[in-house]
Amino acid sequence: QVQLVESGGGSVQPGGSLRLSCTASENVFKTFAMAWYRQRPENERELVATITIGRTPFYRSAVKGRFTISVDATEATMFLQMDNLKREDTAVYYCNNAAHPFFPWGQGTQVTVSS
């Protein structure tokens, strides 16, 4: 089974930046459209951003213009650059398949935005 590992979370003040990374035990980034999801406190998991095999990005409206999804040139790591973070971005962030998150969920990485 594919194992996904998210990293790069932390605590920042509003307006700050973080860059999340996602690695996988198999070469999923060459084969599947992938995505970042998040689960905010007392909310269901939601889609944040997706990137196709052709590297076309999509963002939910709440993060558009602030977050950037990308895959590195080796296609081994997916990133989520998060700028101008807001308190409502506080969540555990996960990566998974974009069309349907059928890979086992990783542990996620906690992002906390507070002053």
Side-chain angles (χ1 to χ4, degrees):
Q1 278 187 330
V2 172
Q3 291 182 320
L4 300 169
V5 179
E6 301 90 355
S7 62
S11 295
V12 296
Q13 294 184 343
S17 297
L18 286 171
R19 188 171 84 153
L20 307 184
S21 298
C22 170
T23 58
S25 58
E26 299 178 21
N27 231 335
V28 298
F29 304 112
K30 292 183 179 180
T31 312
F32 299 96
M34 295 292 288
W36 283 98
Y37 299 80
R38 69 185 180 188
Q39 187 163 16
R40 295 183 291 169
E42 301 180 8
N43 281 268
E44 294 186 352
R45 195 171 288 164
E46 61 187 15
L47 183 69
V48 176
T50 66
I51 188 164
T52 67
I53 296 172
R55 304 300 175 237
T56 299
F58 165 83
Y59 303 95
R60 70 182 300 113
S61 58
V63 307
K64 194 176 294 185
R66 301 187 297 119
F67 290 11
T68 304
I69 189 171
S70 64
V71 175
D72 73 344
T74 65
E75 299 188 300
T77 306
M78 181 171 70
F79 300 101
L80 186 68
Q81 176 67 41
M82 304 188 297
D83 298 316
N84 191 21
L85 282 159
K86 303 178 179 181
R87 289 181 177 82
E88 52 264 40
D89 296 318
T90 294
V92 180
Y93 285 73
Y94 304 87
C95 55
N96 212 312
N97 182 279
H100 182 70
F102 52 75
F103 297 133
W105 292 100
Q107 291 190 332
T109 186
Q110 174 71 47
V111 172
T112 302
V113 185
S114 69
S115 54

